[in-house]
Amino acid sequence: MYPRKIHDFWISGTIKDDSKLQSSRENYERLLVQQMRDKGYVPVLDMQPQFSIKYNEEKDHYTFNLVMYGIYIGKAKSFKYEGFSGQNLITKG
């Protein structure tokens, strides 16, 4: 077993156009993965990203929260691995 603590990474914000919800989510997920790797973390592939949205009728936009989970493996290794699954690091490609 890989004896590391799972760390949560999150981002929240607003999206004006509901037709952009899916593409915005994908972009924010990529951003969070990049931030993880920059800090030496890789995604925990067994834990799905948590994305919640709420429509604010008064302001006519959506607010969202996105949470992803990562495990620390070090900055040098974080760009070599796709993520962590089960008890193993998964190599890219």
Side-chain angles (χ1 to χ4, degrees):
M1 180 176 228
Y2 204 77
R4 300 283 185 193
K5 181 180 175 190
I6 294 174
H7 182 76
D8 61 320
F9 290 82
W10 59 273
I11 191 167
S12 60
T14 60
I15 299 172
K16 180 71 173 163
D17 185 353
D18 64 349
S19 70
K20 305 228 185 283
L21 285 173
Q22 185 61 34
S23 63
S24 294
R25 176 184 175 162
E26 292 167 1
N27 289 335
Y28 286 121
E29 284 183 11
R30 280 192 292 275
L31 175 66
L32 274 181
V33 169
Q34 183 64 42
Q35 289 176 353
M36 280 185 204
R37 292 186 193 288
D38 288 344
K39 294 179 180 181
Y41 288 78
V42 292
V44 176
L45 303 174
D46 300 326
M47 298 178 74
Q48 295 298 314
Q50 304 298 308
F51 186 73
S52 61
I53 58 171
K54 184 176 181 181
Y55 181 64
N56 184 323
E57 191 173 334
E58 188 176 297
K59 295 184 178 182
D60 189 33
H61 68 229
Y62 294 86
T63 57
F64 72 90
N65 291 305
L66 173 63
V67 180
M68 296 181 75
Y69 303 94
I71 195 164
Y72 184 79
I73 63 169
K75 290 182 183 181
K77 290 183 182 179
S78 66
F79 290 92
K80 295 179 183 177
Y81 293 95
E82 189 67 34
F84 181 81
S85 179
Q87 297 179 3
N88 300 302
L89 287 168
I90 308 300
T91 307
K92 282 188 173 185

